[in-house]
Every structure is written in C-alpha cells, then in structure tokens.
Amino acid sequence: MFFEGFEEWERELATGVRLHGRSGGEGPAVVLLHGHPRAHTTWHRVAPVLAAAGFTVICPDLRGYGRSAKPEPDADHEVYADRAMAADVVALAQVLGHDGFAVVGHDRGQGVAYRCALDHPGHVRALGVLDGVPMAEAVERADARFATEWWHWFFFAGSPHAERVITADPDAWYGLDPAKEEAMGAESFAYVSAALHDPATVRAMLEDYRAGLSVDAAHDRADRERGHRIACPTLVAWSVHDDMEHLYGDPAEIWRDWVDAPVETARIDSGHHMAEENPDQLAGVLADFLARHL
C-alpha cells in the first residue's frame, strides 16, 4: 500500500510557511527531502522500510514543491534559498516533536539537507547527501561540458522564457507519460503530475535554481572562507548510472573538505531517481547508516 501506516498532514510553521507531507513510524527521527521535479511521494518505497526498521520518518514537500506553500519570490532569491528551506525543516521537525533528527536529501533536497547541518548543528544528528556536491563546488567546476549536459540549470536560472516554455506543455517538458508513471508508481505520479501542472509550482522550482546559482553558492563560499564545516556523521551516496562519477570522480573526496566527522559512502545501482529505481538498496544503506548514528 502507498505509505501504509503514515499520517498525511499540513503544518503551519514559525517560518511563515505551510508544509505538506507525511510521517510514520516510531523511534529516532529522520527527515527525507526530495529533489526536482519530485515531491515527498518519491520516498513511498523507502519510507515504510525505514519506519519498519525503527525510525520516525518525516517526508515533507519542500516549500514551493508538491502541495506545500509557494510564497512570492523576491529579487534576491532568498525566499527559495536552501537556508530558508533548511529553517522550514528544523521548524517542521520541532512541530512534530523532534528537536534532534537526521536529514537525508536527494538532488535539490541534498542542498537543503547539508544547509540544515551547517546552519543548525545543534539539531542535526546525522546527514545523508544523495546525488550532489556543495553548490559552490558545482559552480566552480562548471565548464562547457557541464553547461552542455546540465543545461537546464542555466535555462532555469537565466532564461526569461523558462516559465512560459514549461507551463505551455508540462506533460512534454517533464515526460509525464505511461513509462514515467510505471517507474514512479501510480499514486506518486498522480501527486507529482498535479503539482507540475500548477504554474505556481513551476515558478517556485525555477526560483530554487535561481537561488542555487546565486545566494546558495554565496552562502557556501562564506562558510568555507570562515572554516565552518559539517560536524555530524555524513553519508555520501550517488547513482552509479547517473553522471556523478563522470563529472566529479569520487564525490566523497569533495565532501571530505566540508565535513569534520567521518564520511561514509555508497554507490547505488540505479539511475538518478534512486528512491524509485532501487529503493531496496537505498533503504538498506540508509537504515544501516542511521542505526549506527542515531
């Protein structure tokens, strides 16, 4: 069953934002953060396994995504910065009764996850980053190859036409077809598809990318310059059949410059959307890591 045993909720937070999501299980808390263009439902094959393993599992839609609130953007992109989203995560965990928690993020969600660890070290007990490197590192390594293969970053962040192009045919843009539905699962596909047909969601996701190439990278550089590093145990995992190794070699070597605690690694036998493509391996890796650090 879809998220069997989980409660679906909406919570108004002290940050002024309303988040939608699900939670279930008992035990130490772990927050799972999705990437683009997904929503919390991407975890539907992983979250119940972690709950059964003895964790309270919290799966929110990030601000701007899914059914969460979509505040008006600002000129400096601070509203959709990872720092703002990380504050949402901490506030949500506290509203749900958890002052300390682990946080695991995939793709855009990993940016929010490591920002939680940097900005709120008193709350984050363990960190998992999936398919990503710190934004400052990605920006500084961007070359013609990266710009060609990851062109969507620059289209989303820089083109004045991006919103109009995407909203003109969301099904075509996001590949919302029967094959995608089968891969995601019918319930998750329907949930995500509905959100992607909302122009406010598209606008918010573009703002996420605009923040990434501006304020998020600036926040990273400021932390690096002052020697502020991640203090908690950290798992770095990536999809073998995506392009992380092609772009960065061993991504964990990049992360070790940002983390004072031990860095563990895992290579997931999947394409980019690992929670959908290989949930069994991912859930096993996460459960083992969390059991040792929570």
Side-chain angles (χ1 to χ4, degrees), residues 105-108 110 129-133 150 237-240 242 244 270-274:
H106 177 254
D107 184 73
R108 304 301 295 185
Q110 64 88 30
V129 286
L130 313 178
D131 279 343
V133 298
W150 287 42
W238 60 92
S239 308
V240 174
D242 197 17
M244 291 296 294
S270 75
H272 180 58
H273 294 287
M274 58 174 71

Side-chain angles (χ1 to χ4, degrees), residues 195-221:
L196 297 179
H197 281 82
D198 180 355
T201 304
V202 174
R203 180 188 66 176
M205 293 192 303
L206 295 177
E207 280 297 309
D208 182 12
Y209 279 83
R210 291 163 185 156
L213 294 182
S214 57
V215 293
D216 291 341
H219 292 157
D220 281 1
R221 287 192 290 267

Side-chain angles (χ1 to χ4, degrees), residues 98 141-142 151 182 248 279:
H98 304 280
R141 286 168 169 75
W151 59 270
E182 182 177 1
Y248 302 117

Side-chain angles (χ1 to χ4, degrees), residues 6 24-30 47 49-57 286-292 294:
F6 276 60
E26 294 182 357
V30 55
V49 178
L50 295 180
F55 302 100
T56 297
V57 185
L286 293 179
D288 176 68
F289 173 74
L290 295 168
R292 288 183 286 105
L294 285 182

Side-chain angles (χ1 to χ4, degrees), residues 74-151:
D74 65 310
D76 295 327
H77 313 298
E78 296 280 1
V79 169
Y80 286 93
D82 287 341
R83 175 159 284 161
M85 295 191 191
D88 291 342
V89 171
V90 174
L92 174 65
Q94 292 177 322
V95 164
L96 295 176
H98 304 280
D99 192 58
F101 56 92
V103 59
V104 176
H106 177 254
D107 184 73
R108 304 301 295 185
Q110 64 88 30
V112 181
Y114 78 76
R115 181 49 55 188
C116 283
L118 284 168
D119 286 1
H120 306 278
H123 297 283
V124 177
R125 306 286 186 259
L127 169 67
V129 286
L130 313 178
D131 279 343
V133 298
M135 183 58 69
E137 301 282 357
V139 169
E140 291 164 5
R141 286 168 169 75
D143 56 13
R145 181 184 68 174
F146 182 91
T148 300
E149 297 179 4
W150 287 42
W151 59 270

Side-chain angles (χ1 to χ4, degrees), residues 11 64 116 212 236 257 271 292:
R11 293 290 188 272
C116 283
V236 179
D257 289 336
R292 288 183 286 105

